[in-house]
């Protein structure tokens, strides 16, 4: 158990070797009747009441088509899946960084890193987040990130698609994590979607085929 905790702490440190961001004011999709999701899609609901700058930045990148063909480059069982770096290395991002909206950086963001929560990756600089984000897999192993990373949304539909990333064979990274997918897990399209019943903006992620044929 101690070994597993050390591995998760090391993975958290690696979250701090990422990042940049984007900006602009483009409208989100208006509320409308939403069609059922396809098997390769998942839906992220944004929570600006917790992290308004982060949500606006994410929407700007989505509206700019930034995430088209971008991969999830780190997938760690029992912890999280991380993507959003156009270089696919974990060291890149967009051109603009944003203020880190979490408690240790002076922002009262109470959104906890539980299963399905979407949060921003960053470097050691608390204001270095840009385009890279991660999605938590469990309720148990990422809550130690609370107050240190800007949680800003949640996968509210299609979490099973994110779970299926774990079916892709992975190799050990240079830092010793079993986290590097051997087959690219790429986003085909990321777009604004109908708002939910409470007026929250939502983002639809459509994945390219990444699972081996049976």
């Amino acid at each position: 158990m101690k070994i597993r905790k050390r591995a998760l702490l090391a993975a958290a440190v690696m979250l701090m070797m990422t990042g940049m961001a984007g900006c602009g004011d483009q409208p989100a999709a208006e509320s409308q009747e939403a069609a059922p999701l396809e098997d390769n899609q998942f839906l992220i609901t944004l929570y600006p009441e917790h992290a308004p700058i982060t949500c606006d930045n994410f929407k700007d990148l989505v509206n700019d088509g930034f995430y088209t063909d971008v991969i999830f480059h780190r997938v760690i069982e029992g912890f999280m899946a991380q993507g959003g770096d156009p270089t696919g290395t974990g060291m890149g991002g967009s051109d603009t960084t944003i203020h880190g909206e979490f408690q240790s950086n002076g922002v009262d963001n109470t959104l906890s890193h539980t299963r399905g929560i979407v949060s921003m990756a960053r470097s050691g600089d608390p204001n270095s987040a840009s385009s890279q984000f991660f999605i938590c897999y469990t309720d148990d192993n990422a809550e130690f990130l609370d107050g240190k990373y800007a949680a800003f949304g949640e996968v509210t539909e299609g979490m099973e698609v994110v779970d299926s990333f774990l079916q892709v064979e992975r190799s050990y990274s240079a830092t010793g994590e079993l986290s590097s997918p051997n087959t690219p897990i790429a986003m085909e399209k990321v777009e604004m979607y109908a708002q939910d019943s409470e007026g929250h903006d939502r983002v639809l992620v459509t994945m390219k085929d990444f699972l081996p044929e049976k």
Side-chain angles (χ1 to χ4, degrees):
M1 190 64 180
K2 289 183 179 179
I3 294 175
R4 179 169 180 79
K5 286 184 177 178
R6 285 200 296 269
L8 289 172
L9 285 170
V13 170
M14 286 303 297
L15 283 172
M16 299 177 67
M17 298 184 66
T18 51
M20 312 309 168
C23 222
D25 290 318
Q26 296 191 29
E30 294 182 358
S31 182
Q32 60 191 43
E33 191 66 28
L37 300 191
E38 298 180 6
D39 291 342
N40 63 336
Q41 295 178 322
F42 63 92
L43 203 57
I44 297 173
T45 299
L46 304 181
Y47 298 138
E49 61 267 36
H50 294 285
I53 295 171
T54 308
C55 288
D56 283 347
N57 175 68
F58 192 70
K59 289 190 294 182
D60 291 338
L61 293 171
V62 169
N63 284 321
D64 287 344
F66 182 90
Y67 292 115
T68 301
D69 296 328
V70 174
I71 66 170
F72 283 85
H73 60 276
R74 287 179 74 217
V75 178
I76 303 176
E77 187 167 2
F79 187 34
M80 59 90 204
Q82 182 175 337
D85 172 11
T87 72
T89 65
M91 302 301 290
S94 60
D95 294 333
T96 307
T97 56
I98 57 174
H99 184 78
E101 294 180 296
F102 43 88
Q103 289 181 335
S104 65
N105 203 35
V107 177
D108 188 22
N109 182 346
T110 59
L111 193 59
S112 183
H113 289 78
T114 54
R115 175 171 167 78
I117 290 297
V118 185
S119 187
M120 294 300 292
R122 62 175 178 86
S123 70
D125 181 348
N127 301 316
S128 60
S130 65
S131 62
Q132 289 195 48
F133 63 94
F134 59 95
I135 302 170
C136 300
Y137 273 126
T138 73
D139 289 334
D140 303 320
N141 292 328
E143 289 181 312
F144 67 96
L145 301 176
D146 291 355
K148 304 178 183 69
Y149 292 84
F152 67 96
E154 182 179 11
V155 176
T156 48
E157 292 186 44
M159 186 62 190
E160 65 275 7
V161 177
V162 184
D163 290 336
S164 69
F165 297 175
L166 294 166
Q167 298 179 37
V168 175
E169 185 177 351
R170 286 159 287 142
S171 297
Y172 286 94
S173 68
T175 58
E177 296 177 328
L178 184 60
S179 63
S180 302
N182 294 346
T183 301
I185 303 175
M187 294 177 275
E188 179 176 346
K189 188 175 184 181
V190 182
E191 58 194 316
M192 298 307 299
Y193 193 71
Q195 294 178 333
D196 69 10
S197 59
E198 298 179 352
H200 288 108
D201 288 325
R202 296 189 291 180
V203 174
L204 179 66
V205 181
T206 302
M207 301 299 299
K208 292 185 177 182
D209 292 336
F210 58 85
L211 292 177
E213 294 185 6
K214 295 181 180 180

